[in-house]
Amino acid sequence: MNKIMDFMTNKFAPRVNKIVKNPWIASIQDSIMTALPLVFVGSIITVVSLLNNFFDSLPDFSLISNFSFGMFGLVVSFLIPYYLMEKKGNSQKLITGSTGLVLFMMLLYPTVNAKGDITFTLERFGATGMFLAIITGLFVGCIMNFAAKHSFFDEDTPIPDFVVGWFNSLLPITFLLLIGWLITVQFNVDFFEIVIYVFKPLAAIVQSYPGFVLSVFIPAFLYTFGISGWVMMPAIYPVYMAGLAENIQAASNGQEATNIATQETIYAFSSMGGIGTTLALAFMILILSKSAQLKAIGKAVFIPSIFNINEPLMFGAPVAFNPYLMVPMWINGIIVPSIAYFAMSIGVVNIPTQSFLLWYVPYPITSYLATQDWRAIIVAILVFVVTWLVFLPFFKAYDNSLLKKEAEEVETEG
């Protein structure tokens, strides 16, 4: 265990942090984080739509969701090149982001009739288009960043800066849009479908049982070493969102949803108390602690954990870098997604077909809202019991070690 701790602390963690700070990776992560409020709006509409089951007179708010969650890819196509230019220290952020948005729309393969009317497929603007948005955004950022380093004018030119900016961005923008025109119009290629096809194996892996479990376990594992689980977002979140988009489309067509690996599934069960399913541990520390240290910590971390904020618990108990509590968190990182996967795969709980990312709603309310299935409440209770049983022996060992240490300190002072 000491060798693992040493490797993760001194070698693995610094390398991961270096990757996360890379401007290309960070721009994707920041873009998704910035655009998340749009998804939250869609989540609120999901909650409100449940009231339609009781009040028929309520209006249909689905269009709000279509233009919030349903435009996620479009927004990200702007934000990625914007943040990339910002992190590269270039001033052409807004025009670069705008170019990313325009190229993204061109590559969505719109249809044009004889009158010149352009028609888009609405689903492609949202989560389904996330992979295309990422590729487009990075490509635009790369070209614009390269062009920004090769100006047509000297630094001491008397021409105003805004004019210099116009000329410096004119050529790369023309080149980028020409690429989009060639692909979509001249070659008549649906680049959107190509991107979906290329990333289909990754989506298939994550949607499988082992892939889904790993997508939950790895963030929990990294978190026990102080590395935020959000580092997995650029790789996993687009798959989760695309999976949900497919579920929504299937449900609207009267078909069954099949993609279990979604963020809604995570929030239904695995995020109980926060990453690592730590709510049972928070309860345990509050009501079972014998050591003075854990008694004090229990009072401080309980309320945040109720709202699925477990940073105080992770770094206050602590769980991070604590061999006593790291191991049960790893175990739960495998068991909990397994329970969720099998409960949904055999039809015990509905697979999510609506956006719900209000992660701070207490359990088991979150479980119901994320799945719109009352049976999810029963599974959530089962998850709580199982994680309690897993944490209990390790917690007792840790509590006893602190109790012994406190007794020794008292004797020393005496």
Side-chain angles (χ1 to χ4, degrees), residues 227-262:
I227 303 171
S228 173
W230 288 107
V231 301
M232 296 292 294
M233 178 183 286
I236 301 300
Y237 197 70
V239 177
Y240 282 171
M241 291 198 71
L244 178 66
E246 290 180 10
N247 289 347
I248 294 173
Q249 185 64 26
S252 65
N253 294 332
Q255 301 171 345
E256 290 187 3
T258 58
N259 295 314
I260 295 174
T262 66

PDB file of all heavy atoms in Angstrom, residues 227-262:
ATOM      1  N   ILE A 227      -6.986  13.929  -6.647  1.00  0.00           N
ATOM      2  CA  ILE A 227      -7.136  14.352  -8.034  1.00  0.00           C
ATOM      3  C   ILE A 227      -8.628  14.429  -8.358  1.00  0.00           C
ATOM      4  O   ILE A 227      -9.339  13.427  -8.230  1.00  0.00           O
ATOM      5  CB  ILE A 227      -6.449  13.372  -9.003  1.00  0.00           C
ATOM      6  CG1 ILE A 227      -4.963  13.234  -8.647  1.00  0.00           C
ATOM      7  CG2 ILE A 227      -6.611  13.827 -10.448  1.00  0.00           C
ATOM      8  CD1 ILE A 227      -4.254  12.138  -9.414  1.00  0.00           C
ATOM      9  N   SER A 228      -9.101  15.566  -8.753  1.00  0.00           N
ATOM     10  CA  SER A 228     -10.528  15.747  -9.002  1.00  0.00           C
ATOM     11  C   SER A 228     -11.033  14.788 -10.075  1.00  0.00           C
ATOM     12  O   SER A 228     -10.385  14.590 -11.108  1.00  0.00           O
ATOM     13  CB  SER A 228     -10.819  17.190  -9.435  1.00  0.00           C
ATOM     14  OG  SER A 228     -12.166  17.326  -9.840  1.00  0.00           O
ATOM     15  N   GLY A 229     -12.196  14.208  -9.818  1.00  0.00           N
ATOM     16  CA  GLY A 229     -12.806  13.313 -10.789  1.00  0.00           C
ATOM     17  C   GLY A 229     -13.198  14.012 -12.076  1.00  0.00           C
ATOM     18  O   GLY A 229     -13.431  13.356 -13.097  1.00  0.00           O
ATOM     19  N   TRP A 230     -13.231  15.347 -12.056  1.00  0.00           N
ATOM     20  CA  TRP A 230     -13.589  16.106 -13.254  1.00  0.00           C
ATOM     21  C   TRP A 230     -12.539  15.985 -14.347  1.00  0.00           C
ATOM     22  O   TRP A 230     -12.791  16.378 -15.494  1.00  0.00           O
ATOM     23  CB  TRP A 230     -13.801  17.575 -12.905  1.00  0.00           C
ATOM     24  CG  TRP A 230     -15.050  17.826 -12.129  1.00  0.00           C
ATOM     25  CD1 TRP A 230     -15.142  18.135 -10.807  1.00  0.00           C
ATOM     26  CD2 TRP A 230     -16.399  17.781 -12.613  1.00  0.00           C
ATOM     27  NE1 TRP A 230     -16.451  18.278 -10.432  1.00  0.00           N
ATOM     28  CE2 TRP A 230     -17.254  18.069 -11.525  1.00  0.00           C
ATOM     29  CE3 TRP A 230     -16.968  17.520 -13.865  1.00  0.00           C
ATOM     30  CZ2 TRP A 230     -18.634  18.098 -11.652  1.00  0.00           C
ATOM     31  CZ3 TRP A 230     -18.349  17.552 -13.983  1.00  0.00           C
ATOM     32  CH2 TRP A 230     -19.167  17.843 -12.889  1.00  0.00           C
ATOM     33  N   VAL A 231     -11.349  15.454 -14.019  1.00  0.00           N
ATOM     34  CA  VAL A 231     -10.313  15.303 -15.047  1.00  0.00           C
ATOM     35  C   VAL A 231     -10.758  14.328 -16.134  1.00  0.00           C
ATOM     36  O   VAL A 231     -10.244  14.354 -17.260  1.00  0.00           O
ATOM     37  CB  VAL A 231      -8.974  14.825 -14.445  1.00  0.00           C
ATOM     38  CG1 VAL A 231      -8.466  15.803 -13.409  1.00  0.00           C
ATOM     39  CG2 VAL A 231      -9.086  13.420 -13.855  1.00  0.00           C
ATOM     40  N   MET A 232     -11.729  13.472 -15.803  1.00  0.00           N
ATOM     41  CA  MET A 232     -12.235  12.502 -16.780  1.00  0.00           C
ATOM     42  C   MET A 232     -13.282  13.107 -17.713  1.00  0.00           C
ATOM     43  O   MET A 232     -13.691  12.481 -18.690  1.00  0.00           O
ATOM     44  CB  MET A 232     -12.845  11.308 -16.039  1.00  0.00           C
ATOM     45  CG  MET A 232     -11.873  10.502 -15.212  1.00  0.00           C
ATOM     46  SD  MET A 232     -10.703   9.614 -16.249  1.00  0.00           S
ATOM     47  CE  MET A 232     -11.806   8.458 -17.065  1.00  0.00           C
ATOM     48  N   MET A 233     -13.706  14.332 -17.406  1.00  0.00           N
ATOM     49  CA  MET A 233     -14.815  14.930 -18.146  1.00  0.00           C
ATOM     50  C   MET A 233     -14.585  15.003 -19.651  1.00  0.00           C
ATOM     51  O   MET A 233     -15.480  14.634 -20.430  1.00  0.00           O
ATOM     52  CB  MET A 233     -15.126  16.319 -17.598  1.00  0.00           C
ATOM     53  CG  MET A 233     -16.245  17.038 -18.339  1.00  0.00           C
ATOM     54  SD  MET A 233     -16.549  18.694 -17.730  1.00  0.00           S
ATOM     55  CE  MET A 233     -17.361  18.330 -16.190  1.00  0.00           C
ATOM     56  N   PRO A 234     -13.431  15.481 -20.145  1.00  0.00           N
ATOM     57  CA  PRO A 234     -13.276  15.590 -21.596  1.00  0.00           C
ATOM     58  C   PRO A 234     -13.445  14.274 -22.337  1.00  0.00           C
ATOM     59  O   PRO A 234     -13.867  14.260 -23.495  1.00  0.00           O
ATOM     60  CB  PRO A 234     -11.839  16.125 -21.747  1.00  0.00           C
ATOM     61  CG  PRO A 234     -11.569  16.843 -20.475  1.00  0.00           C
ATOM     62  CD  PRO A 234     -12.270  16.033 -19.418  1.00  0.00           C
ATOM     63  N   ALA A 235     -13.124  13.154 -21.691  1.00  0.00           N
ATOM     64  CA  ALA A 235     -13.211  11.853 -22.357  1.00  0.00           C
ATOM     65  C   ALA A 235     -14.569  11.189 -22.169  1.00  0.00           C
ATOM     66  O   ALA A 235     -15.106  10.585 -23.105  1.00  0.00           O
ATOM     67  CB  ALA A 235     -12.106  10.925 -21.836  1.00  0.00           C
ATOM     68  N   ILE A 236     -15.140  11.286 -20.964  1.00  0.00           N
ATOM     69  CA  ILE A 236     -16.335  10.514 -20.622  1.00  0.00           C
ATOM     70  C   ILE A 236     -17.625  11.307 -20.818  1.00  0.00           C
ATOM     71  O   ILE A 236     -18.630  10.769 -21.295  1.00  0.00           O
ATOM     72  CB  ILE A 236     -16.247  10.015 -19.168  1.00  0.00           C
ATOM     73  CG1 ILE A 236     -15.010   9.135 -18.979  1.00  0.00           C
ATOM     74  CG2 ILE A 236     -17.499   9.240 -18.787  1.00  0.00           C
ATOM     75  CD1 ILE A 236     -15.000   7.898 -19.856  1.00  0.00           C
ATOM     76  N   TYR A 237     -17.614  12.583 -20.468  1.00  0.00           N
ATOM     77  CA  TYR A 237     -18.859  13.351 -20.478  1.00  0.00           C
ATOM     78  C   TYR A 237     -19.534  13.410 -21.851  1.00  0.00           C
ATOM     79  O   TYR A 237     -20.758  13.288 -21.935  1.00  0.00           O
ATOM     80  CB  TYR A 237     -18.599  14.760 -19.944  1.00  0.00           C
ATOM     81  CG  TYR A 237     -19.856  15.479 -19.527  1.00  0.00           C
ATOM     82  CD1 TYR A 237     -20.571  15.088 -18.395  1.00  0.00           C
ATOM     83  CD2 TYR A 237     -20.348  16.546 -20.271  1.00  0.00           C
ATOM     84  CE1 TYR A 237     -21.730  15.734 -18.017  1.00  0.00           C
ATOM     85  CE2 TYR A 237     -21.506  17.204 -19.896  1.00  0.00           C
ATOM     86  CZ  TYR A 237     -22.193  16.791 -18.767  1.00  0.00           C
ATOM     87  OH  TYR A 237     -23.351  17.431 -18.406  1.00  0.00           O
ATOM     88  N   PRO A 238     -18.767  13.599 -22.943  1.00  0.00           N
ATOM     89  CA  PRO A 238     -19.432  13.581 -24.255  1.00  0.00           C
ATOM     90  C   PRO A 238     -20.153  12.256 -24.540  1.00  0.00           C
ATOM     91  O   PRO A 238     -21.212  12.259 -25.172  1.00  0.00           O
ATOM     92  CB  PRO A 238     -18.273  13.799 -25.239  1.00  0.00           C
ATOM     93  CG  PRO A 238     -17.258  14.555 -24.453  1.00  0.00           C
ATOM     94  CD  PRO A 238     -17.346  13.980 -23.065  1.00  0.00           C
ATOM     95  N   VAL A 239     -19.584  11.144 -24.073  1.00  0.00           N
ATOM     96  CA  VAL A 239     -20.225   9.840 -24.277  1.00  0.00           C
ATOM     97  C   VAL A 239     -21.510   9.763 -23.465  1.00  0.00           C
ATOM     98  O   VAL A 239     -22.550   9.293 -23.957  1.00  0.00           O
ATOM     99  CB  VAL A 239     -19.271   8.696 -23.879  1.00  0.00           C
ATOM    100  CG1 VAL A 239     -19.968   7.346 -24.032  1.00  0.00           C
ATOM    101  CG2 VAL A 239     -18.014   8.724 -24.726  1.00  0.00           C
ATOM    102  N   TYR A 240     -21.454  10.217 -22.218  1.00  0.00           N
ATOM    103  CA  TYR A 240     -22.653  10.239 -21.372  1.00  0.00           C
ATOM    104  C   TYR A 240     -23.768  11.065 -22.019  1.00  0.00           C
ATOM    105  O   TYR A 240     -24.929  10.643 -22.085  1.00  0.00           O
ATOM    106  CB  TYR A 240     -22.328  10.844 -20.005  1.00  0.00           C
ATOM    107  CG  TYR A 240     -21.615   9.930 -19.038  1.00  0.00           C
ATOM    108  CD1 TYR A 240     -21.095  10.426 -17.840  1.00  0.00           C
ATOM    109  CD2 TYR A 240     -21.463   8.579 -19.283  1.00  0.00           C
ATOM    110  CE1 TYR A 240     -20.449   9.610 -16.936  1.00  0.00           C
ATOM    111  CE2 TYR A 240     -20.814   7.743 -18.386  1.00  0.00           C
ATOM    112  CZ  TYR A 240     -20.302   8.265 -17.211  1.00  0.00           C
ATOM    113  OH  TYR A 240     -19.677   7.450 -16.307  1.00  0.00           O
ATOM    114  N   MET A 241     -23.411  12.261 -22.498  1.00  0.00           N
ATOM    115  CA  MET A 241     -24.412  13.156 -23.061  1.00  0.00           C
ATOM    116  C   MET A 241     -24.987  12.603 -24.364  1.00  0.00           C
ATOM    117  O   MET A 241     -26.197  12.693 -24.614  1.00  0.00           O
ATOM    118  CB  MET A 241     -23.817  14.541 -23.294  1.00  0.00           C
ATOM    119  CG  MET A 241     -23.504  15.298 -22.015  1.00  0.00           C
ATOM    120  SD  MET A 241     -23.315  17.064 -22.301  1.00  0.00           S
ATOM    121  CE  MET A 241     -24.995  17.554 -22.648  1.00  0.00           C
ATOM    122  N   ALA A 242     -24.110  12.035 -25.189  1.00  0.00           N
ATOM    123  CA  ALA A 242     -24.584  11.441 -26.438  1.00  0.00           C
ATOM    124  C   ALA A 242     -25.513  10.263 -26.155  1.00  0.00           C
ATOM    125  O   ALA A 242     -26.519  10.062 -26.850  1.00  0.00           O
ATOM    126  CB  ALA A 242     -23.403  10.993 -27.295  1.00  0.00           C
ATOM    127  N   GLY A 243     -25.182   9.490 -25.108  1.00  0.00           N
ATOM    128  CA  GLY A 243     -26.034   8.364 -24.723  1.00  0.00           C
ATOM    129  C   GLY A 243     -27.412   8.823 -24.293  1.00  0.00           C
ATOM    130  O   GLY A 243     -28.425   8.217 -24.672  1.00  0.00           O
ATOM    131  N   LEU A 244     -27.454   9.907 -23.515  1.00  0.00           N
ATOM    132  CA  LEU A 244     -28.744  10.439 -23.085  1.00  0.00           C
ATOM    133  C   LEU A 244     -29.534  10.980 -24.275  1.00  0.00           C
ATOM    134  O   LEU A 244     -30.749  10.775 -24.365  1.00  0.00           O
ATOM    135  CB  LEU A 244     -28.550  11.548 -22.045  1.00  0.00           C
ATOM    136  CG  LEU A 244     -29.842  12.216 -21.571  1.00  0.00           C
ATOM    137  CD1 LEU A 244     -30.711  11.213 -20.804  1.00  0.00           C
ATOM    138  CD2 LEU A 244     -29.546  13.437 -20.711  1.00  0.00           C
ATOM    139  N   ALA A 245     -28.845  11.662 -25.190  1.00  0.00           N
ATOM    140  CA  ALA A 245     -29.521  12.200 -26.373  1.00  0.00           C
ATOM    141  C   ALA A 245     -30.172  11.076 -27.182  1.00  0.00           C
ATOM    142  O   ALA A 245     -31.294  11.226 -27.683  1.00  0.00           O
ATOM    143  CB  ALA A 245     -28.527  12.973 -27.243  1.00  0.00           C
ATOM    144  N   GLU A 246     -29.478   9.950 -27.303  1.00  0.00           N
ATOM    145  CA  GLU A 246     -30.045   8.799 -28.015  1.00  0.00           C
ATOM    146  C   GLU A 246     -31.253   8.241 -27.262  1.00  0.00           C
ATOM    147  O   GLU A 246     -32.247   7.830 -27.881  1.00  0.00           O
ATOM    148  CB  GLU A 246     -28.984   7.718 -28.191  1.00  0.00           C
ATOM    149  CG  GLU A 246     -27.885   8.094 -29.180  1.00  0.00           C
ATOM    150  CD  GLU A 246     -26.849   7.003 -29.322  1.00  0.00           C
ATOM    151  OE1 GLU A 246     -27.076   5.889 -28.807  1.00  0.00           O
ATOM    152  OE2 GLU A 246     -25.798   7.253 -29.945  1.00  0.00           O
ATOM    153  N   ASN A 247     -31.161   8.225 -25.922  1.00  0.00           N
ATOM    154  CA  ASN A 247     -32.297   7.751 -25.117  1.00  0.00           C
ATOM    155  C   ASN A 247     -33.512   8.648 -25.299  1.00  0.00           C
ATOM    156  O   ASN A 247     -34.655   8.165 -25.412  1.00  0.00           O
ATOM    157  CB  ASN A 247     -31.913   7.703 -23.637  1.00  0.00           C
ATOM    158  CG  ASN A 247     -30.940   6.584 -23.316  1.00  0.00           C
ATOM    159  OD1 ASN A 247     -30.725   5.689 -24.130  1.00  0.00           O
ATOM    160  ND2 ASN A 247     -30.359   6.629 -22.141  1.00  0.00           N
ATOM    161  N   ILE A 248     -33.285   9.949 -25.298  1.00  0.00           N
ATOM    162  CA  ILE A 248     -34.380  10.909 -25.479  1.00  0.00           C
ATOM    163  C   ILE A 248     -35.029  10.704 -26.841  1.00  0.00           C
ATOM    164  O   ILE A 248     -36.262  10.699 -26.969  1.00  0.00           O
ATOM    165  CB  ILE A 248     -33.868  12.356 -25.328  1.00  0.00           C
ATOM    166  CG1 ILE A 248     -33.409  12.608 -23.887  1.00  0.00           C
ATOM    167  CG2 ILE A 248     -34.941  13.361 -25.723  1.00  0.00           C
ATOM    168  CD1 ILE A 248     -32.724  13.951 -23.679  1.00  0.00           C
ATOM    169  N   GLN A 249     -34.197  10.529 -27.877  1.00  0.00           N
ATOM    170  CA  GLN A 249     -34.719  10.330 -29.221  1.00  0.00           C
ATOM    171  C   GLN A 249     -35.517   9.030 -29.310  1.00  0.00           C
ATOM    172  O   GLN A 249     -36.591   8.983 -29.928  1.00  0.00           O
ATOM    173  CB  GLN A 249     -33.553  10.311 -30.229  1.00  0.00           C
ATOM    174  CG  GLN A 249     -33.971  10.239 -31.683  1.00  0.00           C
ATOM    175  CD  GLN A 249     -34.737  11.471 -32.130  1.00  0.00           C
ATOM    176  OE1 GLN A 249     -34.569  12.551 -31.566  1.00  0.00           O
ATOM    177  NE2 GLN A 249     -35.572  11.314 -33.140  1.00  0.00           N
ATOM    178  N   ALA A 250     -34.985   7.974 -28.681  1.00  0.00           N
ATOM    179  CA  ALA A 250     -35.679   6.683 -28.694  1.00  0.00           C
ATOM    180  C   ALA A 250     -37.036   6.794 -28.010  1.00  0.00           C
ATOM    181  O   ALA A 250     -38.046   6.281 -28.504  1.00  0.00           O
ATOM    182  CB  ALA A 250     -34.817   5.623 -28.016  1.00  0.00           C
ATOM    183  N   ALA A 251     -37.071   7.468 -26.857  1.00  0.00           N
ATOM    184  CA  ALA A 251     -38.327   7.622 -26.113  1.00  0.00           C
ATOM    185  C   ALA A 251     -39.348   8.422 -26.908  1.00  0.00           C
ATOM    186  O   ALA A 251     -40.543   8.102 -26.910  1.00  0.00           O
ATOM    187  CB  ALA A 251     -38.054   8.287 -24.766  1.00  0.00           C
ATOM    188  N   SER A 252     -38.886   9.461 -27.599  1.00  0.00           N
ATOM    189  CA  SER A 252     -39.807  10.275 -28.390  1.00  0.00           C
ATOM    190  C   SER A 252     -40.383   9.506 -29.574  1.00  0.00           C
ATOM    191  O   SER A 252     -41.459   9.830 -30.072  1.00  0.00           O
ATOM    192  CB  SER A 252     -39.098  11.539 -28.894  1.00  0.00           C
ATOM    193  OG  SER A 252     -38.060  11.214 -29.806  1.00  0.00           O
ATOM    194  N   ASN A 253     -39.661   8.460 -30.021  1.00  0.00           N
ATOM    195  CA  ASN A 253     -40.135   7.628 -31.134  1.00  0.00           C
ATOM    196  C   ASN A 253     -40.882   6.387 -30.656  1.00  0.00           C
ATOM    197  O   ASN A 253     -41.181   5.498 -31.456  1.00  0.00           O
ATOM    198  CB  ASN A 253     -38.947   7.202 -32.009  1.00  0.00           C
ATOM    199  CG  ASN A 253     -38.297   8.368 -32.720  1.00  0.00           C
ATOM    200  OD1 ASN A 253     -38.955   9.379 -33.002  1.00  0.00           O
ATOM    201  ND2 ASN A 253     -37.020   8.262 -33.013  1.00  0.00           N
ATOM    202  N   GLY A 254     -41.137   6.322 -29.344  1.00  0.00           N
ATOM    203  CA  GLY A 254     -41.856   5.185 -28.795  1.00  0.00           C
ATOM    204  C   GLY A 254     -41.018   3.941 -28.646  1.00  0.00           C
ATOM    205  O   GLY A 254     -41.548   2.835 -28.460  1.00  0.00           O
ATOM    206  N   GLN A 255     -39.682   4.093 -28.680  1.00  0.00           N
ATOM    207  CA  GLN A 255     -38.772   2.958 -28.534  1.00  0.00           C
ATOM    208  C   GLN A 255     -38.192   2.924 -27.125  1.00  0.00           C
ATOM    209  O   GLN A 255     -38.319   3.877 -26.360  1.00  0.00           O
ATOM    210  CB  GLN A 255     -37.649   3.053 -29.575  1.00  0.00           C
ATOM    211  CG  GLN A 255     -38.136   3.079 -31.006  1.00  0.00           C
ATOM    212  CD  GLN A 255     -37.015   3.406 -31.994  1.00  0.00           C
ATOM    213  OE1 GLN A 255     -35.954   3.869 -31.609  1.00  0.00           O
ATOM    214  NE2 GLN A 255     -37.283   3.175 -33.269  1.00  0.00           N
ATOM    215  N   GLU A 256     -37.528   1.820 -26.806  1.00  0.00           N
ATOM    216  CA  GLU A 256     -36.926   1.683 -25.482  1.00  0.00           C
ATOM    217  C   GLU A 256     -35.533   2.308 -25.452  1.00  0.00           C
ATOM    218  O   GLU A 256     -34.752   2.154 -26.395  1.00  0.00           O
ATOM    219  CB  GLU A 256     -36.826   0.206 -25.086  1.00  0.00           C
ATOM    220  CG  GLU A 256     -38.170  -0.449 -24.806  1.00  0.00           C
ATOM    221  CD  GLU A 256     -38.004  -1.853 -24.245  1.00  0.00           C
ATOM    222  OE1 GLU A 256     -36.837  -2.260 -24.026  1.00  0.00           O
ATOM    223  OE2 GLU A 256     -39.020  -2.529 -24.046  1.00  0.00           O
ATOM    224  N   ALA A 257     -35.232   3.003 -24.361  1.00  0.00           N
ATOM    225  CA  ALA A 257     -33.885   3.540 -24.160  1.00  0.00           C
ATOM    226  C   ALA A 257     -32.936   2.400 -23.814  1.00  0.00           C
ATOM    227  O   ALA A 257     -33.312   1.457 -23.117  1.00  0.00           O
ATOM    228  CB  ALA A 257     -33.900   4.577 -23.042  1.00  0.00           C
ATOM    229  N   THR A 258     -31.712   2.478 -24.295  1.00  0.00           N
ATOM    230  CA  THR A 258     -30.757   1.385 -24.081  1.00  0.00           C
ATOM    231  C   THR A 258     -29.447   1.820 -23.445  1.00  0.00           C
ATOM    232  O   THR A 258     -28.690   0.985 -22.972  1.00  0.00           O
ATOM    233  CB  THR A 258     -30.443   0.692 -25.418  1.00  0.00           C
ATOM    234  OG1 THR A 258     -29.926   1.665 -26.338  1.00  0.00           O
ATOM    235  CG2 THR A 258     -31.683   0.045 -26.013  1.00  0.00           C
ATOM    236  N   ASN A 259     -29.169   3.119 -23.446  1.00  0.00           N
ATOM    237  CA  ASN A 259     -27.878   3.599 -22.940  1.00  0.00           C
ATOM    238  C   ASN A 259     -27.938   3.845 -21.434  1.00  0.00           C
ATOM    239  O   ASN A 259     -28.523   4.832 -20.985  1.00  0.00           O
ATOM    240  CB  ASN A 259     -27.473   4.880 -23.660  1.00  0.00           C
ATOM    241  CG  ASN A 259     -27.218   4.647 -25.139  1.00  0.00           C
ATOM    242  OD1 ASN A 259     -26.549   3.695 -25.520  1.00  0.00           O
ATOM    243  ND2 ASN A 259     -27.756   5.516 -25.979  1.00  0.00           N
ATOM    244  N   ILE A 260     -27.327   2.949 -20.682  1.00  0.00           N
ATOM    245  CA  ILE A 260     -27.324   3.075 -19.220  1.00  0.00           C
ATOM    246  C   ILE A 260     -26.287   4.091 -18.766  1.00  0.00           C
ATOM    247  O   ILE A 260     -26.507   4.825 -17.792  1.00  0.00           O
ATOM    248  CB  ILE A 260     -27.059   1.700 -18.573  1.00  0.00           C
ATOM    249  CG1 ILE A 260     -28.228   0.758 -18.880  1.00  0.00           C
ATOM    250  CG2 ILE A 260     -26.844   1.824 -17.072  1.00  0.00           C
ATOM    251  CD1 ILE A 260     -28.014  -0.661 -18.407  1.00  0.00           C
ATOM    252  N   ALA A 261     -25.171   4.151 -19.451  1.00  0.00           N
ATOM    253  CA  ALA A 261     -24.080   5.045 -19.056  1.00  0.00           C
ATOM    254  C   ALA A 261     -24.423   6.481 -19.425  1.00  0.00           C
ATOM    255  O   ALA A 261     -24.149   6.949 -20.528  1.00  0.00           O
ATOM    256  CB  ALA A 261     -22.776   4.619 -19.717  1.00  0.00           C
ATOM    257  N   THR A 262     -25.051   7.175 -18.496  1.00  0.00           N
ATOM    258  CA  THR A 262     -25.360   8.596 -18.648  1.00  0.00           C
ATOM    259  C   THR A 262     -25.036   9.288 -17.329  1.00  0.00           C
ATOM    260  O   THR A 262     -24.924   8.632 -16.285  1.00  0.00           O
ATOM    261  CB  THR A 262     -26.847   8.835 -18.985  1.00  0.00           C
ATOM    262  OG1 THR A 262     -27.641   8.430 -17.860  1.00  0.00           O
ATOM    263  CG2 THR A 262     -27.267   8.052 -20.221  1.00  0.00           C
TER     264      THR A 262
END
